[in-house]
Amino acid sequence: MFIRIKSLLIQLGLILLPLSLLAQEVEVRGQVLDAATGRGIVGAEIRLPTQTFFSDAEGNVEFKANIGQSTQLVISIFKSGFQEKQVSVEPQGRNRVNFGTVKLESKEGTDALSAEEFVPVVTLSENDLDSDGDQNVSGLLTASNDVFVSAASFQFSFTNFRMRGYDGQHNELFFNGIPINDVETGFPGWNLWSGLNDVVRSRTASVGLAPNANGFGGLGGITALDVRASHHRPQLRVSYAASNRAYRNRVMATYSTGLTASGWAFTVSASRRWAQEGYIDGTFYDANAYFVGVEKKLNDNHFLSFTALGSPVKRGRSAPATQEMYDLAGSNYYNSFWGYQEGEKRNARVQNTHQPLAVLRHDWQIQEKTRLTTAIGYQTGRNGTTALDWYEARDPRPNYYRRLPSYIESDQAVEVEKLLRENEALRQIDWAYLYNTNRGNTLTVNNANGIPGNSVTGKRSQYVVEERRFDRSLLSFNSNIESSISELLKVSGGVCYQQQSNHNFKTINDLLGGDFYLDIDKFAEFIDTTGGGSFIQNDINTPNRILKEGYKFGWDYTNEHRRYNSWAQLEFYLPKFDLFVSGSLGNTSFWRKGNVTNGKFPENSGGEAPKQSFLEYAAKAGLTFKADGRNYFMLNAAYMVQAPQVRNAYVSPRTRDQILPGLSTENITSIEGGYLLRSPYLKGRLIGYYTQIKNQNRINNFYLDNALIEDDGTASGGFVNYTMSGINTQHAGIEFGLEWAFSPGWKASTALAAGQYIYTSRPTIEVYLDNLASKLREDVAYIKNFFVPNMPQTAGTIGISYNSPKFWFANFNFNYFDDIYLDFNPDRRTVSAVSYVNNPEFSNQVVEPGSPLWKTIIEQEKAPAAYTVDFFGGKSWKIRNVFLYLNVGVNNILDKKDFITGGFEQYRFDYETKDVNRFPSNYFYSYGRNYFVSLALRL
């Protein structure tokens, strides 16, 4: 079958052959060496704007390129861990040129990109390198050398900046050949290798709709990490770092052999990061990381590699807060999640994660220009976060709105405000009170554990610390083939299968001095008409279940996912144009499996639910016009149909298998185009894009004060499922980046992201009472032209850097951010929110349109514009065969502590008085001045 397909493609190449006669085809040769050792560098990238080639095991480079009528071709030479170099090739009518020997200097200690901790979240724990210099992996834009993407990854990342406003699910992430995005949420798993900076530097990235040999790609592109042992530089590296961010200290050690004469390669790495308290009060950090990579060269055509890694992390979390609480605390870093216990700070929200990953990969060079890569990976482990739970007791949260001065209407408000300002303990969790309450609550439970006549007497906890678990097991198989049929045509494609199980449950983490807890639904008691029977039981198979520490309780269910996909891509390299066309076809299915039978929904809570299956398909194509060897113009377009995310498919997966009515696929259309400049002293890009994402859903679950309206008109609270369907968004804007090497060692750069990410529909709201699955109401959210929240839609930076020949560097950047909008409560954008009765027939029963009150209720809150100044610097020394590297980074030098990076309105609203300040917004603030200093030794 493969031979027949290849024969057809060769015929297509022969049809295109006459076009090559119109082009100037140049054979380019050269060699890339390590300046420190004089050895050839394997897998160095030789980059053209629309093609990438790789050096072989000796560092030799040989490839052919159509350059049209260009008189000069600018080539970038890059390898992770080394300084990028550019060379200019001037064929002058010749069909063969040699750029000679290029020696790459170590990047460490020479610029900001070498400072490992300055690599941000987007690329932190992140090239598909090939040992054959003829191998061509195409990527129009790459994160490691694109001016704009570098700015977005470094200067913008701390603000929750998202390129083009896309969620993480639209960016595909590959690790050693397998896709690593969570099948349930779609989000990439960068945290899987946090703390392993030394070994996850090698990466390639195609941005937007550009073609990529690793897969079809998401709307935002593909990032592929290649951590095979043979592609790590031979070294022993030990480092220590100090910081005042999430952690205070870090030690790391890495040893790599490179590919030995016997055909083996080994890499091991380990690190530890810790902080008794981070930048924000009450937070702590306790993390380790490990990595083992083994690779064997079976022969010249076959390589087999194995990689295993893990990053166990335990950390105390922080919470957003209302401005009232920040002001009462006298700090925009107030954290309500902690309190004193016997003189020590204890955090109630502790995240505990460890999800190790193992990958086995086989690379087969079938022919000189045809390669097959096959990988299988498995990931499993735990992911949990603790939280307080309580029963028949007051709300223990110190920032509970009913206890704040702004909510208290009596004269006591002034006294409460004074107490909260002066007494820190009142603003934090009172652990002693929780323990004392539990120790004083003796209770007898009859028919305990479902056993008639079984009575248990003891201290029933009214407060406990629970752990909410989201444990994932993911099996992935991926196989890609890539073949250069001719100098004009390259074909690639592959198949992928993923099988994921997400086990969701709760456990008792700490009884807080009590003897037991009871496995019943505290919210169900308010509406139980059975007199305390099975309705309130979380598991009717074991009613009145006595809970000890470590026991599961509450919800317990598994989301099962199956996803398969195939894709193919053709790339054409013509005299003045490069073209590509790509398509994918697949299927995603998922279903809920209840591990317990809930008393409220005995018919549809336990066992396997019906499978939900969705056909997925997509197509994209692009054209690049090569004006000459420096100037390029591109245009790409795509249409995609994607399955909905499981998190937005089930109305309340914790209690039942009810599917959101009308659940269907999401539809995406996107177009991008622009100009690229590549010259020896000037690099730049200007890209415009326009995207529509239609038929999205969102589901939230929370306690609503006025969920139930009694016969007498009074309202009472209840736990609700709040759904929105028919959400459409539009993402449009420009991306600009420019870098100018204006003098030896000096560079100036600038980047700008100016976007408009808005909602373009009026979604349908449906609210269900969780305990009965009954629809309380249906409404329309008037959110058309509202902004997609919690990121800057305008971001810019101007920077200047100096790289000294004496091996030190310094960078300064001025950054500006604007158009950051808070997430909104859709209920405030409904008819009932601006009406004083259910049927606003008369004007005096409606808030006057356009009035100050109307605007206060309806308009979306916007955070103030902000700016920061950052510094990165470093110095390196060579003492015989030992290299020392010092890197220093200081972010937000001006110590601006009023920078709001996002926030959200509460899902509460005062329908009676229309006072939006009664339930104010919660805000996130950026860190003030923060630093990172690292000292590394390399042999």
Side-chain angles (χ1 to χ4, degrees), residues 31-36 38 41 82-83 85 101-105:
Q31 188 178 32
V32 183
L33 302 179
D34 185 331
I41 298 178
F82 293 88
Q83 297 181 56
K85 282 195 174 182
T101 298
V102 175
K103 295 183 178 180
L104 297 185
E105 301 282 351

Side-chain angles (χ1 to χ4, degrees), residues 87 231 460 510 616 847 909:
V87 296
H231 288 260
R460 175 181 173 177
D510 191 340
E616 299 180 297
V847 177
F909 180 61

Side-chain angles (χ1 to χ4, degrees), residues 391 443-456 460 516-521 525 528 531-548 551 553:
Y391 176 79
L443 186 74
T444 298
V445 178
N446 297 317
N447 302 322
N449 297 319
I451 303 173
N454 180 33
S455 296
V456 174
R460 175 181 173 177
F516 64 87
Y517 202 50
L518 202 58
D519 192 12
I520 60 175
D521 185 347
E525 287 187 314
D528 181 16
S534 63
F535 187 84
I536 64 173
Q537 302 295 333
N538 288 319
D539 181 6
I540 61 174
N541 294 320
T542 312
N544 297 331
R545 183 164 173 256
I546 300 297
L547 300 172
K548 299 289 188 177
Y551 284 23
F553 79 109

Side-chain angles (χ1 to χ4, degrees), residues 561-618:
H561 313 76
R562 305 292 184 268
R563 182 175 187 269
Y564 64 84
N565 175 266
S566 60
W567 66 280
Q569 181 171 275
L570 298 175
E571 297 173 77
F572 305 93
Y573 305 107
L574 306 179
K576 300 292 288 185
F577 295 93
D578 287 345
L579 305 93
F580 80 91
V581 60
S582 182
S584 72
L585 179 67
N587 180 271
T588 291
S589 60
F590 55 80
W591 63 97
R592 178 189 182 275
K593 183 173 68 175
N595 301 316
V596 296
T597 302
N598 191 287
K600 299 181 292 295
F601 308 102
E603 303 299 325
N604 62 337
S605 58
E608 290 195 358
K611 292 181 173 62
Q612 307 297 316
S613 183
F614 299 90
L615 178 68
E616 299 180 297
Y617 54 92

Side-chain angles (χ1 to χ4, degrees), residues 99-141:
F99 61 73
T101 298
V102 175
K103 295 183 178 180
L104 297 185
E105 301 282 351
S106 173
K107 193 174 188 178
E108 223 172 348
T110 60
D111 60 25
L113 298 179
S114 68
E116 74 273 40
E117 198 58 30
F118 304 149
V119 182
V121 175
V122 179
T123 55
L124 171 61
S125 309
E126 349 169 293
N127 239 326
D128 199 308
L129 306 179
D130 186 84
S131 58
D132 185 356
D134 284 333
Q135 192 59 53
N136 181 351
V137 178
S138 177
L140 183 61
L141 302 174

